[in-house]
């Protein structure tokens, strides 16, 4: 996972992602859809990138829609939420 | 529906504030909407701070929450409100500037409870962990490779920080006055499991111990002295003694507020000192104390992520006039990631007189514990068994008989064990 | 002869092309008892809420198979000694979709460990290549059968490559898979002929897998079967041979019999909604949400069966202990309480918690593969088929009510670009 220290530096505005970890049941569908931005540690600890780059929006969208409990929320300043 | 000329203000800029503002807009409120925050940041997500930010995987600044608020919201950040005047419906800042409102959402949340001795608390190397800046500062201190990290208080934040230090390969000592970590929330029967797990990961756990004072040299923290005379040399001390609710600015407003929160009625409107609701003001999140219908109307203030989100939405809808004035009754839930182990809970364990392990095996590290009171299920906790929790949450919401009866998959091999929960 | 129950109507082949009106009748009672001649009856959950609740209820077991009872041979030695032993082994080493935790969790964890993100990502790229090749083969055609030409060969090739089944052996699996998939159709469990045929098929495919596993132990390769045969999970779990055989059979059969329906139902639905086909052609980025809506609207697995371990109070009824359950996933997906205007195909729905892959502990292991394969197939079909038209609507269906999909899907085209 790589996150720019400051997303405001010149490049197109990045995405914002948050996951409702109360809902998350570690189905790991996001990890298959966007492996560079989501991973599971241990049995069910989800680790995710809260600030993916704008060019990764297709992967993030796949992860968002595939979540069986719809726990992933994405804001895409380039496209609206 | 509020007239569109009404002016809405949200005081606070955390999760509850954000979801509240979004809910007002989604419910059709189209008047001017201002969000006032004490910190200079847009709402950000706190749970990653004690985990991935401290681990150095993401910078503190990457945690800004996604939102669907548009440009029709005014943000006044880094400008704390000092006083509320309900007669003139005006908010006052310390610099004398004012902000009028017609509808007000109070979502000022909490701050970390400081170390009781302010001089010791100001030593370099002593940290609390609540906000983005706290996390960034503590991360820098951990990255510098301290000899040892001392964590004071084994609540969720304390345990998370201690496990995280071990993940980073840092020696860590966790000091807790109670018999086990998380004893206040989970009781010592389940807390003992967490303690064993922490110890297994190399945390130097000192249960039943208290820090008497923090010693500094040249303004730097160097060691802690326990009440039993033990000394612990360390470069970093993390004060994890819980939170204090941000209600001082309500002093003199005539609202019923104290360090335990601001009181609300079942609907979500705040109460004045006479116990009368103010229909212009709602509260949500950590700061709101309200009677919970699932627990006999007991007044609770919950410091949980999903509670902040859901009660924020509820309060936003309420202020927009879009929702029938029904009680907020969501089942309290939380999660905590201890290293790579996920602890989740549904319901409130307070007052439990028994606990039963109903699924999995504590020995295997994956299980469900159900808490009972007077023969009814009042809470359930899962450890790495999240998919079993919803069924147990249903039992809690329904007040099902405790302990659960009958045959089920994944029962412990020796059957259901009922134990004393071990609350202090 | 009593009147046909609604559950009988679900199973009735006459309703295969459009079972949804029967489901709507079933939803009138969220959980209903359907007479089946037994004392406890069969209980059907038809609404989203009751299905989701029962899927995650520990009082509900997946162990629905009757005790193994292999065909008798007439040879007394075999029937008295070998058969009971083999029956006992089969019962102990069932495929994990018919097992409960803790055993289920251990087996599933082994599979998930091998079902690595890297391996699945590689299959995504491979799926796109396979689709391109399959469509290239039909370049000059004026008619295709979406099943035989694409929807069947794609997932079959993918699952065989993933498991390291040699290409030349692929055809052997076709008949085996079709036969074993009947285990998911409720009536097959009480039909002696089908059960005997399944036993014989299981022996045949089991013998083949045993040999292949030996080979993978001798010469491990970078495939899932080699991984399962030679590596333990991080918790130290490693399958024994019988579980490994059963598990690989399960994965191979599932790879043959499910995704084919997702792709075929997908193309059928798009041809019935030409505006959506056109939108997908213009914007392949719509594929992920379109596929989730397909999983809601026409799920490849329409229902799954379960058994109660205890009596369960739900939706105003009490399901007794040891009762047979049918969780009508495809009906829950059409529940207006959760999905406004549920019979409308609308990929722009938000927050959809469909039941197309089931849920909780038994959530479909192959879901990520199914999504990638469907995305590769549907985006390529939208892009490359010139003026596609359905030749028959409804198309002829396969016999299964649980695993439901067209047998063939003939499409007239002006060519493939």
């Amino acid at each position: 996972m790589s996150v720019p220290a400051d997303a405001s530096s010149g490049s197109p505005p990045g995405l914002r992602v948050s996951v409702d970890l109360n809902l998350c049941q570690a189905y790991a569908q996001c990890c298959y859809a966007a492996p560079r931005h989501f991973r599971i540690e241990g049995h069910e600890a989800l680790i995710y990138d809260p600030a993916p780059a704008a060019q990764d929006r297709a992967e993030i969208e796949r992860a968002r829609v595939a979540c069986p409990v719809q726990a992933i929320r994405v804001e895409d300043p380039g496209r609206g939420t | 529906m509020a007239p569109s000329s009404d002016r809405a203000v949200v005081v606070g800029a955390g999760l509850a504030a954000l979801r509240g503002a979004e809910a007002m807009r989604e419910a059709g409120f189209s008047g001017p909407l201002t969000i006032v925050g004490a910190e200079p940041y847009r709402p950000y997500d706190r749970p990653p701070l004690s985990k991935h930010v401290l681990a150095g995987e993401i910078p503190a600044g990457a945690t800004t929450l996604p939102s669907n608020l548009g440009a029709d919201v005014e943000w006044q950040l880094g400008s704390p409100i000092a006083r509320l005047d309900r007669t003139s419906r005006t908010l006052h800042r310390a610099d004398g500037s004012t902000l009028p409102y017609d509808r007000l959402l109070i979502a000022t949340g909490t701050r970390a409870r400081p170390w009781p001795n302010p001089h010791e608390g100001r030593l370099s190397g002593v940290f609390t962990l609540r906000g983005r800046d706290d996390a960034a500062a503590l991360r820098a201190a951990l990255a510098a490779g301290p000899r040892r990290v001392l964590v004071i208080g084994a609540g969720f934040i304390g345990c998370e920080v201690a496990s995280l230090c071990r993940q980073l390969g840092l020696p860590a000592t966790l000091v807790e006055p109670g018999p086990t970590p998380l004893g206040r929330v989970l009781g010592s029967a389940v807390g003992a499991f967490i303690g064993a797990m922490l110890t297994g990961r190399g945390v130097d756990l000192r249960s039943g111990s208290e820090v008497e004072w923090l010693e500094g040299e040249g303004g730097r923290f160097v060691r802690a002295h326990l009440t039993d005379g033990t000394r612990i040399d360390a470069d970093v001390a993390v004060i994890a003694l819980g939170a204090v609710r941000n209600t001082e600015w309500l002093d003199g407003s005539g609202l019923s507020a104290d360090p335990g929160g601001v009181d609300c009625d079942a609907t979500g409107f705040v109460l004045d000192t006479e116990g009368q609701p103010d229909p212009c003001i709602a509260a949500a999140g950590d700061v709101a104390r309200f009677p919970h219908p699932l627990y006999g109307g007991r007044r609770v203030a919950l410091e949980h992520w999903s509670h902040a989100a859901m009660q924020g939405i509820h309060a936003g809808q309420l202020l927009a006039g879009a929702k029938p004035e029904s009680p907020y009754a969501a089942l309290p839930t939380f999660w905590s990631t201890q290293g790579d182990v996920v602890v989740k809970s549904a319901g409130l364990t307070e007052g439990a007189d028994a606990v039963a392990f109903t699924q999995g095996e504590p020995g295997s590290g994956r299980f469900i514990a159900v808490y009972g009171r007077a023969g009814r299920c009042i809470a359930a906790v899962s450890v790495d068994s999240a998919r079993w929790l919803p069924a147990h949450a249903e039992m809690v919401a329904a007040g099902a008989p405790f302990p659960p009866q009958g045959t089920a998959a994944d029962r412990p091999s020796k059957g259901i064990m009922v134990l004393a929960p071990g609350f202090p | 002869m009593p009147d046909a129950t609604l559950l009988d109507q679900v199973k009735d082949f006459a309703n295969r092309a459009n079972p949804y009106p029967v489901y709507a009748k079933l939803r009138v009672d969220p959980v209903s008892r359907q007479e089946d001649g037994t004392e406890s009856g069969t209980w059907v959950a038809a609404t989203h809420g009751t299905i989701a609740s029962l899927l995650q209820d520990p009082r509900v077991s997946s162990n629905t198979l009757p005790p193994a009872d292999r065909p008798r041979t007439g040879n007394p030695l075999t029937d008295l000694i070998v058969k009971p032993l083999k029956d006992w082994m089969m019962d102990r080493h069932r495929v994990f979709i018919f097992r409960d935790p803790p055993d289920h969790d251990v087996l599933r964890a082994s599979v998930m460990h091998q079902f690595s993100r890297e391996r699945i990502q590689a299959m995504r790229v491979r799926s796109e290549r396979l689709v391109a090749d399959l469509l290239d083969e039909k370049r000059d055609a004026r008619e295709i059968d979406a099943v035989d030409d694409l929807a069947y060969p794609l997932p079959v090739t993918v699952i065989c490559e993933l498991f390291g089944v040699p290409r030349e052996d692929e055809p052997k699996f076709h008949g085996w898979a079709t036969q074993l998939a009947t285990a998911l159709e409720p009536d097959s469990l009480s039909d002696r002929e089908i059960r005997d045929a399944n036993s014989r098929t299981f022996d045949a495919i089991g013998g083949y897998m045993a040999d292949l596993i030996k080979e993978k132990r001798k010469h491990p390769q970078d495939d899932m079967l080699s991984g399962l045969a030679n590596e333990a999970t991080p918790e130290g779990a490693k399958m024994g041979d019988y579980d490994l055989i059963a598990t690989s059979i399960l994965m191979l059969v599932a790879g043959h019999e499910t995704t084919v329906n997702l792709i075929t139902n997908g193309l059928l639905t798009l041809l019935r909604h030409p505006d959506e086909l056109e939108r997908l052609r213009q914007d392949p980025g719509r594929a992920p949400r379109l596929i989730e809506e397909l999983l809601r609207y026409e799920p490849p697995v329409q229902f799954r069966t379960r058994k109660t371990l205890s009596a369960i109070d739900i939706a105003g009824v009490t399901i007794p202990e040891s009762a047979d359950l049918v969780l009508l996933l495809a009906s829950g997906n059409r529940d207006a309480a959760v999905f406004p205007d549920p019979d409308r195909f609308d990929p722009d729905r938000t927050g959809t918690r469909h039941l197309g892959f089931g849920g909780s502990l038994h959530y479909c292991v192959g879901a990520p593969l199914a999504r990638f394969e469907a995305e590769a197939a549907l985006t390529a079909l939208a892009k490359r088929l010139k003026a596609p038209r359905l030749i028959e609507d409804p198309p002829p269906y396969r016999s299964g009510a649980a695993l439901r999909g067209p047998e063939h899907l003939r499409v007239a085209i002006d060519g493939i670009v």
Side-chain angles (χ1 to χ4, degrees):
Chain A
M1 232 180 283
S2 65
V3 182
D6 180 5
S8 66
S9 56
S11 49
L15 310 178
R16 286 172 183 154
V17 173
S18 77
V19 181
D20 184 339
L21 293 176
N22 253 319
L23 290 179
C24 175
Q25 293 182 7
Y27 288 102
Q29 301 304 304
C30 54
C31 306
Y32 291 108
R36 291 180 304 136
H37 302 284
F38 298 86
R39 70 170 197 272
I40 301 270
E41 282 193 355
H43 292 291
E44 52 187 48
L46 178 70
I47 293 171
Y48 63 93
D49 175 358
Q55 65 261 28
D56 294 337
R57 63 165 55 95
E59 282 173 63
I60 299 295
E61 167 72 0
R62 279 196 191 98
R64 186 184 69 77
V65 301
C67 177
V69 292
Q70 292 291 297
I72 302 173
R73 186 166 165 148
V74 180
E75 180 189 2
D76 185 345
R79 290 201 175 175
T81 302
Chain B
M1 183 85 44
S4 63
S5 58
D6 266 15
R7 184 174 175 135
V9 177
V10 179
V11 182
L15 178 62
L18 178 66
R19 295 290 178 260
E22 288 172 351
M24 286 185 78
R25 283 291 188 237
E26 278 163 23
F29 176 78
S30 57
L33 177 56
T34 305
I35 301 177
V36 188
E39 288 180 82
Y41 308 118
R42 289 277 180 110
Y44 56 85
D45 212 15
R46 292 182 196 280
L49 297 179
S50 55
K51 304 169 187 99
H52 317 312
V53 172
L54 286 194
E57 293 185 10
I58 55 173
T63 55
T64 304
L65 281 163
S67 161
N68 58 19
L69 286 177
D72 58 349
V73 173
E74 187 191 350
W75 295 87
Q76 297 188 3
L77 300 170
S79 74
I81 298 296
R83 191 163 64 83
L84 164 65
D85 179 350
R86 288 193 303 133
T87 322
S88 63
R89 291 190 186 167
T90 308
L91 296 155
H92 296 261
R93 294 199 182 78
D95 65 7
S97 63
T98 60
L99 183 64
Y101 69 86
D102 301 297
R103 312 259 149 176
L104 177 64
L105 174 59
I106 295 175
T108 41
T110 63
R111 61 184 183 274
R113 185 183 299 281
W115 182 244
N117 179 320
H119 173 71
E120 292 172 19
R122 277 195 296 272
L123 289 171
S124 161
V126 177
F127 297 86
T128 54
L129 181 54
R130 176 71 194 164
R132 238 172 87 160
D133 294 342
D134 299 337
L138 180 54
R139 166 61 200 162
L142 297 183
R147 284 173 300 163
R148 175 169 293 277
V149 178
L150 170 70
V151 183
I152 303 176
F156 282 108
I157 296 289
C159 291
E160 286 180 9
V161 172
S163 345
L164 189 108
C165 287
R166 294 305 304 138
Q167 280 185 312
L168 297 176
L170 299 172
T173 297
L174 177 59
V175 178
E176 162 63 35
T180 69
L182 303 178
R184 195 178 58 80
V185 185
L186 302 182
S188 56
V190 176
F193 169 84
I194 303 289
M197 187 187 80
L198 290 169
T199 306
R201 280 153 206 243
V203 174
D204 168 29
L205 174 63
R206 310 285 182 97
S207 299
S209 301
E210 270 187 87
V211 173
E212 186 169 27
W213 65 287
L214 304 177
E215 182 183 344
E217 277 176 19
R220 273 209 67 82
F221 165 71
V222 290
R223 68 184 58 87
H225 297 258
L226 306 192
T227 48
D228 65 4
T230 313
R231 302 191 313 178
I232 296 169
D233 291 345
D235 296 327
V236 169
V238 181
I239 313 299
L241 298 174
V244 186
R245 294 181 171 78
N246 293 319
T247 53
E248 291 81 355
W249 65 285
L250 297 173
D251 290 350
S253 67
L255 292 180
S256 171
D258 59 40
V262 56
D263 284 306
C264 305
D265 66 7
T267 312
F269 289 119
V270 295
L271 297 174
D272 64 20
T273 49
E274 307 290 310
Q276 293 305 309
D278 183 332
C280 301
I281 310 179
D286 297 9
V287 76
R289 187 167 53 196
F290 67 102
H292 204 301
L294 283 175
Y295 294 89
R298 196 169 83 221
R299 311 187 73 75
V300 293
L302 304 171
E303 299 172 26
H304 302 152
W305 190 95
S306 56
H307 172 68
M310 286 191 293
Q311 204 182 27
I313 291 169
H314 176 91
Q317 291 171 340
L318 192 64
L319 287 175
K323 195 173 179 168
E325 297 180 2
S326 57
Y328 171 80
L331 188 68
T333 55
F334 71 79
W335 84 90
S336 169
T337 309
Q338 307 283 336
D340 59 6
V341 173
V342 176
V343 179
K344 289 187 167 191
S345 160
L348 297 175
T349 57
E350 199 182 323
D353 55 26
V355 63
F357 294 97
T358 63
Q359 304 284 139
E361 303 273 355
S364 75
R366 309 186 73 173
F367 62 88
I368 293 272
V370 179
Y371 293 76
R373 178 184 167 89
R376 298 279 158 193
C377 297
I378 60 166
V381 169
S382 78
V383 174
D384 273 353
S385 299
R387 292 188 204 175
W388 281 139
L389 190 60
H392 291 81
E394 283 182 21
M395 289 163 52
V396 170
F402 176 92
Q405 300 296 315
T407 311
D410 208 21
R411 281 272 192 262
S413 50
K414 291 175 191 153
I416 291 181
M417 304 165 275
V418 179
L419 306 168
F423 284 102
Chain C
M1 179 89 187
D3 289 344
T5 65
L6 287 169
L7 182 57
D8 292 331
Q9 295 178 42
V10 169
K11 296 174 194 165
D12 186 348
F13 188 71
N15 289 318
R16 198 66 77 246
N18 184 13
Y20 298 101
V22 181
Y23 298 164
K25 287 183 198 162
L26 276 158
R27 281 195 300 276
V28 170
D29 296 312
V31 177
S32 60
R33 181 192 159 112
Q34 306 285 315
E35 297 306 329
D36 60 359
T38 69
E39 198 184 321
S40 52
T42 295
W43 296 72
V44 177
T47 60
H48 191 276
T50 57
I51 295 165
S53 174
L54 291 166
L55 277 171
Q56 64 196 14
D57 193 320
R59 296 168 297 178
V60 171
S61 170
S62 291
N63 188 357
T64 56
L65 297 182
D69 183 12
R70 302 165 53 78
R72 285 167 198 279
T73 61
N75 176 338
L77 187 73
T78 311
D79 288 350
L80 287 174
I81 297 170
V82 181
K83 173 180 145 45
L85 203 68
K86 282 198 167 183
D87 284 347
W88 182 78
M89 287 302 287
M90 280 199 81
D91 283 338
R92 272 182 66 91
H93 299 286
R94 288 190 161 151
V95 296
F96 66 74
I97 58 169
F98 296 118
R99 291 170 81 163
D100 294 327
D103 310 9
H104 161 273
D105 295 0
V106 176
L107 296 173
R108 184 175 165 116
S110 293
V111 171
M112 295 315 290
H113 181 59
Q114 293 298 329
F115 213 69
S116 65
R117 298 187 298 175
E118 296 73 21
R119 204 165 247 156
I120 302 310
Q121 282 294 324
M123 277 302 153
R124 170 197 194 83
V125 178
R126 184 75 184 118
S127 295
E128 287 164 6
R129 183 73 253 154
L130 287 167
V131 169
D133 291 349
L134 287 164
L135 288 179
D136 285 349
E137 278 177 36
K138 306 297 289 185
R139 190 177 284 277
D140 302 319
R142 285 294 173 272
E143 180 186 324
I144 61 164
D145 175 0
V147 177
D148 288 351
D149 296 336
L150 180 69
Y152 191 74
L154 169 66
V156 163
T157 308
V158 166
I159 197 70
C160 287
E161 288 188 7
L162 196 60
F163 263 77
V165 171
R167 172 171 295 269
E168 61 272 21
D169 293 340
E170 273 181 29
K172 292 185 191 173
F173 279 89
H174 297 191
W176 288 341
T178 307
Q179 178 64 43
L180 289 179
T182 58
L184 261 55
E185 306 298 334
D187 287 348
S188 69
L189 301 176
S190 50
D191 184 315
R192 187 76 238 180
E193 262 181 53
I194 296 178
R195 288 191 68 185
D196 288 355
N198 280 347
S199 288
R200 284 190 294 272
T201 307
F202 203 89
D203 286 349
I205 191 171
Y208 173 89
M209 292 311 302
D211 289 344
L212 189 58
I213 288 163
K214 265 185 217 148
E215 174 62 22
K216 299 287 180 190
R217 290 229 166 92
K218 247 186 268 169
H219 307 289
Q221 287 163 308
D222 182 18
D223 57 53
M224 278 189 66
L225 193 56
S226 296
L228 287 167
N230 298 303
E231 298 162 21
T233 62
E235 287 80 38
K238 196 172 155 198
M239 282 187 205
D241 279 5
Y242 287 97
D243 281 330
L244 179 50
I245 289 169
T247 301
S248 36
I249 291 173
L250 166 67
M251 304 302 282
L252 284 157
V253 171
H256 276 68
E257 299 296 318
T258 54
T259 310
V260 56
N261 293 339
L262 178 60
I263 295 171
T264 314
N265 290 339
L267 182 60
L268 176 61
T269 303
L270 286 171
L271 291 170
R272 286 170 174 170
H273 298 83
D275 48 331
E276 286 298 339
L277 181 62
E278 177 57 22
R279 291 174 79 185
L280 177 63
R281 194 181 68 77
Q282 293 191 1
D283 178 11
R286 286 181 61 74
R289 63 178 68 184
L290 188 134
I291 287 162
E292 295 309 312
E293 175 67 349
L294 273 174
L295 287 159
R296 182 192 76 83
Y297 187 77
E298 288 273 30
V301 181
Q302 299 265 301
F303 57 86
R304 293 287 294 117
T305 55
R306 295 286 195 270
K307 238 180 160 66
T308 55
L309 296 171
S310 305
I312 295 174
D313 294 326
I314 184 168
V317 300
T318 300
I319 310 172
E321 182 184 324
S322 300
D324 291 317
L325 292 181
V326 173
L327 306 183
L328 207 44
L329 308 168
S331 169
N333 282 350
R334 300 284 186 114
D335 185 342
V338 180
F339 307 105
D341 200 359
D343 294 325
R344 200 162 75 89
F345 179 71
D346 175 11
D348 292 319
R349 286 174 193 276
T350 54
T352 299
R353 292 191 206 187
H354 65 72
L355 301 166
F357 287 127
S360 202
L361 303 186
H362 290 274
Y363 186 85
C364 176
V365 166
L369 267 188
R371 288 192 174 100
F372 286 165
E373 291 171 17
E375 182 173 341
L378 294 177
T379 51
L381 287 166
K383 202 167 108 190
R384 297 187 60 186
L385 297 188
K386 280 168 75 177
R389 285 100 57 200
L390 276 175
I391 292 176
E392 288 173 279
D393 191 5
Y397 272 78
R398 305 174 75 192
S399 67
L403 300 185
R404 171 181 163 269
E407 173 115 62
H408 298 286
L409 188 66
R410 293 169 60 208
V411 181
I413 49 175
D414 291 351
I416 292 179
V417 293

